[in-house]
Amino acid sequence: MLARVANNLFWMGRYIERAEHIARYMNVNYFSSLDAPNQLSQSRQFVLRSMLFMVGDPITDDSIKLEEEAVLYDIGLNPEKFYSILSSIKAARENANSSRDLISTELYESLNKFYHFVVNYPTDTFVKTNLYDFTVNVTEMIAVLRGKIRGTLLHDEVYAIIMMGVNIERAIQVTRIINTKYNDALLAKGSYGDTFAHSFEWTTLLKCAESYDMMRRLYKKSPTSTSTLEFLLLNGRCPRSFMNCINQVYKHILEIDKKVEYSKHSTAFMVGKIRAEFEFKQIEEIQEDIQGSLNMILNKMFKISENMEKEFFHY
């Protein structure tokens, strides 16, 4: 396989996963604010700032009043914004076009249908009344794409490269969502006991990662900062957790790089090292410096991605 084509497959997987997390974050964050128990979490300005922070375009000046329709357009359908859902889907389709002979017709047709749905979605309707319809359709169509990837491709190097992209992007996006909600929880605290630990934002965070019900099933209590962070960072059985993502990346990288021994500069070594570190990490260690731990995870994932591109996809 050409390195350029492998690079296209890797980034197709990443862009598909990125679009899903942004769409779900918009949906959950916007609509959960309607049920929020405190005034700040209900504030539309607070919700819009949280969305922009999550996509990497934070507004730090509190005096700026954000326009709801402009923010929703920028994150959803603005082709000029690199972080918009539209930009991610365009990029995913372009990468699929460049590796068309390696993916199934079923996968390509589903991606093409998804692309036309997003490109032709009426902007006015989206920003005024249809945020829910648009974001739910995006997440459902991406679930279909994920099913096509798993169900119609040979589980060989092509599949491994796509799934490496999917899981690296999932690890990054989930960590970004945790980071955003951690900052929100510092501002919108709960009303009893440890007000930070009992913030409503931890519930919103779990819903953003589609993990609320399973977390309640496992812990049998309302979410707190400790149980939420432990579930989404360290629980290898939670499909959205950082630990699960890094396990999947490690599994798929061994499909591509079948050496018996790895040099300390190889991607497999880097992934194995962070995997071993988090396998035995305790939540108390993370809680000593939550912000520092999240920044460290993001930096390591960016380095792994860069190293992977140099090692396997450089052309």
Side-chain angles (χ1 to χ4, degrees):
M1 189 193 311
L2 292 172
R4 174 180 55 77
V5 176
N7 192 48
N8 292 139
L9 291 168
F10 176 74
W11 279 100
M12 180 188 79
R14 284 196 65 169
Y15 282 122
I16 288 170
E17 192 70 15
R18 186 176 300 178
E20 186 204 11
H21 280 83
I22 293 169
R24 196 180 321 100
Y25 191 82
M26 288 178 82
N27 182 312
V28 173
N29 222 34
Y30 189 93
F31 292 105
S32 67
S33 69
L34 304 176
D35 300 322
N38 63 69
Q39 212 165 359
L40 184 57
S41 291
Q42 291 173 8
S43 159
R44 198 50 50 83
Q45 290 296 308
F46 182 74
V47 170
L48 297 175
R49 283 173 194 279
S50 180
M51 287 182 190
L52 288 169
F53 187 94
M54 187 264 167
V55 296
D57 191 13
I59 304 293
T60 50
D61 187 352
D62 290 340
S63 64
I64 296 173
K65 192 168 189 303
L66 298 171
E67 291 290 327
E68 181 180 324
E69 291 185 9
V71 172
L72 295 180
Y73 172 67
D74 281 350
I75 300 175
L77 293 174
N78 189 342
E80 305 298 318
K81 297 288 184 184
F82 70 92
Y83 52 71
S84 73
I85 293 169
L86 175 59
S87 295
S88 291
I89 299 311
K90 271 186 174 175
R93 183 172 175 263
E94 282 166 19
N95 281 292
N97 284 338
S98 303
S99 49
R100 177 67 191 87
D101 57 325
L102 291 175
I103 61 175
S104 65
T105 302
E106 292 82 4
L107 171 57
Y108 185 76
E109 284 177 353
S110 295
L111 183 53
N112 210 31
K113 181 182 173 186
F114 181 26
Y115 166 79
H116 286 291
F117 168 79
V118 175
V119 166
N120 296 319
Y121 204 88
T123 304
D124 282 351
T125 313
F126 166 63
V127 297
K128 284 186 169 67
T129 59
N130 274 32
L131 174 64
Y132 183 84
D133 174 75
F134 176 76
T135 51
V136 166
N137 271 292
V138 167
T139 52
E140 286 178 353
M141 285 179 171
I142 289 173
V144 169
L145 287 178
R146 208 176 282 125
K148 298 292 184 189
I149 291 168
R150 289 207 173 95
T152 66
L153 299 183
L154 285 174
H155 284 214
D156 58 4
E157 281 123 336
V158 170
Y159 177 77
I161 289 166
I162 295 171
M163 292 310 291
M164 275 199 310
V166 165
N167 283 289
I168 283 177
E169 189 64 36
R170 184 179 295 178
I172 290 170
Q173 292 301 323
V174 167
T175 308
R176 288 179 78 108
I177 291 171
I178 294 170
N179 189 32
T180 306
K181 285 287 138 199
Y182 163 70
N183 283 287
D184 287 352
L186 289 172
L187 298 170
K189 295 187 175 179
S191 56
Y192 65 96
D194 181 344
T195 52
F196 168 72
H198 293 104
S199 171
F200 178 71
E201 300 303 324
W202 300 115
T203 298
T204 309
L205 164 57
L206 285 163
K207 289 178 179 176
C208 287
E210 287 189 324
S211 303
Y212 179 74
D213 293 328
M214 292 303 105
M215 181 271 168
R216 292 294 299 261
R217 185 181 151 200
L218 181 67
Y219 287 89
K220 296 179 173 59
K221 62 179 182 180
S222 297
T224 63
S225 57
T226 303
S227 57
T228 303
L229 291 170
E230 186 174 49
F231 193 65
L232 289 180
L233 290 175
L234 303 179
N235 192 322
R237 290 177 300 164
C238 168
R240 300 274 172 185
S241 73
F242 172 74
M243 191 68 225
N244 183 272
C245 293
I246 207 72
N247 284 339
Q248 293 298 319
V249 172
Y250 188 70
K251 174 183 145 190
H252 292 302
I253 207 165
L254 297 184
E255 283 284 315
I256 296 165
D257 193 357
K258 293 186 169 76
K259 291 190 198 82
V260 178
E261 244 180 82
Y262 297 99
S263 82
K264 63 181 180 181
H265 301 297
S266 70
T267 311
F269 182 87
M270 290 169 73
V271 173
K273 188 177 176 184
I274 191 171
R275 178 172 171 258
E277 180 187 341
F278 273 82
E279 193 172 358
F280 299 102
K281 200 178 264 297
Q282 293 180 312
I283 190 60
E284 290 77 16
E285 296 171 62
I286 290 171
Q287 285 186 305
E288 284 170 14
D289 182 11
I290 297 173
Q291 188 69 69
S293 298
L294 296 174
N295 289 342
M296 179 268 288
I297 290 172
L298 285 172
N299 289 334
K300 287 195 174 180
M301 292 314 295
F302 291 141
K303 279 180 187 166
I304 286 168
S305 179
E306 284 169 24
N307 212 64
M308 197 175 279
E309 289 192 67
K310 280 181 197 162
E311 189 176 348
F312 300 116
F313 312 141
H314 191 65
Y315 59 90

